[in-house]
Amino acid sequence: MPRADFQVVIGLEVHAQLLTTSKLFSGAGTSFGGAPNAHTSIVCLGLPGVLPVLNQRAVELAIRTGHALECTVAERSEWSRKHYFYPDLPKGYQITQYEFPICVGGRVVFDGPDGEKSVRLTRIHMEEDAGKLVHESAASLVDLNRAGTPLLEIVSEPDLRTADDAVEYLKALRDILVWIGVNDGNLEEGSFRCDANVSVMRHGSTTFGTRCELKNLNSFRFIKQAIEIEATRQVEIIEAGGKVEQETRLFDPQRGETRSMRSKEDAHDYRYFPDPDLPPLLLTPERIERSRKELPELPRARRKRYVDALGLPAYDAGVLTSDRAMSDLFERCVAEAGEAKPVSNWFMGELSRLLNETKTNTADVKFSPVQFAALLKAIKDGVVSGPGAKEVFAELFATGKDPSLIIQEKGLAQVNDDGPLLEAIAQAMAEAPKNVESYRGGNTKIIGAFVGAVMKKLGGKGNPKRINELLTEKLKA
Ligand code: ADP
Ligand code: MG
């Protein structure tokens, strides 16, 4: 096992598309799909003489991200031109933040297999996306729909040591970005992309090895595979007495290998310089502070509060906070119901099931927290039975009608009065005299058959607890 002598070192660069409706420097739309070049303007086409105008919404989202990831948000950042020639970039340069990014430092905390981990961030900067090439048999076509789309590049320090941790880091980062509404978290559509920098060194070494940057990692599974395959490749080179070349490599999931794409450019190759068309981005301390105050409670903090303050199992807390809308609705229902665990049970069970089945977004549920609390109260007060409550809930979910009305309309009110219960019990006993004898002869288990018979007579609406009590009494006599 050659790997045992080696330590893998990983640093990740994430490109997250900001959830703005228009591009970073023009009014062209940012929606995914659409006919090629439908979402373009003279600015993203790079026509001569046009000027960029900064999208303030994108800036707002970048500041919010900085707060969520505990960065220092810079009062002054700068736009630079990064030059390269490729048809997906008509201007011949990408506008990006280089020397002075909008966020510096920060960290991402996540739960790895062996406890809590914290990975430091180097920086977060804003930049525009490039277009894409569509390769057909006779020609390559250019689609500039994505050109100019606002991106955040979130760069981690080389703090990660395993592929599994890298995946956990990315999941935690994605959860936060989606939670605060800056990104849709979609790896397949490329709105959350990751490049992985991987190097290896012998255990105990204090200097990092030469790294390779891996591209084309569009699922968590591929990220893990690519890192492990690349680390193995590098170890094999070193063990054979060779030297790892710094380069950009493409992961090929079909072949299960990484292969060289290009040797790594140095920064000076890009001829960076401050963009003369864009003034430095200046943020007042008040603007930065306002955004900090508006930051919602984040998923990890919320999970902890659910366990510590609401007394929920960690499992429940995890499920409930996997989606912000779900968690927000849960909070409002708990506030109305005055207790957490029963609400959690309904959310993780019936509500999740119905949301899935009907492909409904949690944000679009029809019932109000007051109605939901009314249903819980009806269960507690014995107005409706357990199975009956499921039916009521399904109708509540479908229509948003008041639970009391549904119970009435569907005739789901539980029979709690002794009168009708005793009547049904008397009938059931008269119909099965042998079973009565058997019970009295010591076969008390047979009570189950009686409960079933009584329930059937009551159309399933009898109060099971009360039926049991009354039956025990009558059967004994
Ligand atoms: P570039 O802009 O050329 O990609 P950066 O200095 O921005 O270079 O670093 C990119 C990423 O590489 C960062 O996430 C950093 O943590 C990571 N990195 C740097 N050195 C190493 C190394 N020796 N092994 C693994 N990752 C590294
Ligand atoms: Mg880079």
Side-chain angles (χ1 to χ4, degrees):
M1 272 296 285
R3 286 286 294 279
D5 299 351
F6 285 87
Q7 175 76 71
V8 185
V9 174
I10 306 153
L12 299 175
E13 292 167 87
V14 166
H15 285 90
Q17 182 174 329
L18 290 170
L19 280 175
T20 57
T21 48
S22 57
K23 292 190 176 174
L24 187 52
F25 299 111
S26 87
T30 53
S31 54
F32 182 77
N37 300 305
H39 307 304
T40 55
S41 73
I42 49 174
V43 173
C44 29
L45 294 177
L47 300 191
V50 298
L51 290 171
V53 177
L54 179 61
N55 181 340
Q56 289 298 329
R57 177 78 188 149
V59 175
E60 224 39 64
L61 298 181
I63 299 172
R64 189 187 301 170
T65 306
H67 289 314
L69 300 177
E70 301 173 47
C71 310
T72 303
V73 179
E75 288 176 27
R76 183 182 188 286
S77 57
E78 232 177 60
W79 302 100
S80 292
R81 293 184 176 183
K82 177 183 182 180
H83 296 81
Y84 66 90
F85 175 76
Y86 202 63
D88 65 0
L89 185 78
K91 295 195 299 296
Y93 60 86
Q94 176 194 31
I95 304 176
T96 179
Q97 296 192 308
Y98 179 59
E99 237 180 311
F100 302 102
I102 187 162
C103 302
V104 183
R107 62 183 190 138
V108 173
V109 181
F110 62 94
D111 295 302
D114 28 72
E116 183 179 292
K117 298 223 166 123
S118 171
V119 168
R120 293 167 301 154
L121 297 179
T122 315
R123 58 188 271 153
I124 303 177
H125 65 256
M126 302 176 74
E127 63 185 28
E128 56 176 349
D129 205 351
K132 77 170 183 200
L133 294 195
V134 183
H135 301 287
E136 308 221 321
S137 55
S140 289
L141 306 171
V142 182
D143 179 2
L144 293 175
N145 278 349
R146 229 165 55 189
T149 297
L151 300 178
L152 284 186
E153 180 170 334
I154 303 167
V155 183
S156 88
E157 290 286 306
D159 285 352
L160 290 154
R161 293 293 176 269
T162 68
D164 285 320
D165 278 356
V167 169
E168 291 310 316
Y169 162 89
L170 288 170
K171 285 184 176 167
L173 177 59
R174 184 179 71 156
D175 284 352
I176 292 170
L177 299 186
V178 172
W179 186 272
I180 63 174
V182 308
N183 179 254
D184 69 13
N186 196 325
L187 273 76
E188 297 87 65
E189 286 178 6
S191 42
F192 182 96
R193 309 196 281 273
C194 164
D195 300 335
N197 294 272
V198 177
S199 68
V200 299
M201 60 183 179
R202 288 196 191 268
H203 272 295
S205 163
T206 47
T207 41
F208 289 154
T210 304
R211 71 186 152 111
C212 287
E213 181 169 335
L214 306 179
K215 301 244 177 216
N216 195 32
L217 312 176
N218 53 13
S219 75
F220 289 127
R221 195 162 57 90
F222 287 169
I223 289 163
K224 178 172 152 69
Q225 273 177 13
I227 292 172
E228 285 173 350
I229 287 167
E230 174 61 14
T232 304
R233 186 189 72 90
Q234 294 182 10
V235 167
E236 281 167 7
I237 291 175
I238 294 168
E239 294 217 307
K243 232 175 108 247
V244 174
E245 295 294 330
Q246 180 166 343
E247 59 186 357
T248 302
R249 298 180 68 85
L250 193 75
F251 175 57
D252 182 339
Q254 249 107 49
R255 293 217 202 150
E257 63 176 29
T258 67
R259 60 172 174 269
S260 184
M261 229 174 116
R262 55 173 187 252
S263 65
K264 182 76 191 164
E265 315 76 2
D266 284 320
H268 63 249
D269 295 329
Y270 289 119
R271 297 290 187 272
Y272 283 101
F273 67 82
D275 193 316
D277 289 342
L278 286 158
L281 173 55
L282 303 177
L283 304 175
T284 62
E286 293 74 32
R287 184 172 176 190
I288 296 172
E289 218 24 60
R290 195 179 337 118
S291 168
R292 186 200 303 280
K293 291 208 185 88
E294 285 166 5
L295 192 70
E297 184 183 32
L298 298 175
R300 272 183 68 83
R302 201 171 265 196
R303 272 197 288 283
K304 188 165 172 349
R305 181 165 60 79
Y306 283 6
V307 173
D308 294 348
L310 298 183
L312 290 179
Y315 177 78
D316 292 36
V319 175
L320 292 166
T321 55
S322 61
D323 176 63
R324 167 103 179 259
M326 168 79 91
S327 176
D328 285 350
L329 182 64
F330 171 75
E331 306 249 318
R332 290 164 57 215
C333 288
V334 170
E336 285 300 330
E339 51 185 354
K341 186 56 182 160
V343 181
S344 170
N345 290 345
W346 279 94
F347 269 58
M348 296 200 307
E350 290 302 287
L351 177 59
S352 296
R353 189 177 64 76
L354 289 168
L355 287 170
N356 265 330
E357 266 176 30
T358 58
K359 304 212 181 325
T360 307
N361 288 322
T362 312
D364 299 329
V365 299
K366 294 204 175 92
F367 64 82
S368 70
V370 172
Q371 289 175 315
F372 182 79
L375 174 59
L376 289 194
K377 185 163 187 312
I379 300 166
K380 236 189 187 165
D381 293 348
V383 175
V384 64
S385 68
K390 278 195 182 172
E391 232 181 299
V392 176
F393 184 72
E395 186 70 9
L396 175 65
F397 180 85
T399 63
K401 280 187 194 169
D402 276 345
S404 58
L405 191 67
I406 298 170
I407 292 170
Q408 204 178 49
E409 278 179 4
K410 294 201 162 248
L412 286 167
Q414 180 161 267
V415 180
N416 295 313
D417 291 346
D418 284 358
L421 296 184
L422 284 169
E423 205 173 297
I425 286 170
Q427 278 176 25
M429 284 172 63
E431 281 164 17
K434 284 218 177 88
N435 285 351
V436 176
E437 245 170 69
S438 164
Y439 181 92
R440 289 179 182 158
N443 179 16
T444 51
K445 271 196 218 133
I446 207 157
I447 192 168
F450 282 107
V451 174
V454 172
M455 263 301 188
K456 205 166 167 199
K457 289 184 191 301
L458 295 165
K461 281 174 268 174
N463 180 333
K465 189 162 160 268
R466 190 61 189 146
I467 291 173
N468 246 301
E469 286 166 4
L470 291 172
L471 257 176
T472 312
E473 208 179 295
K474 293 290 159 196
L475 283 170
K476 263 191 205 140

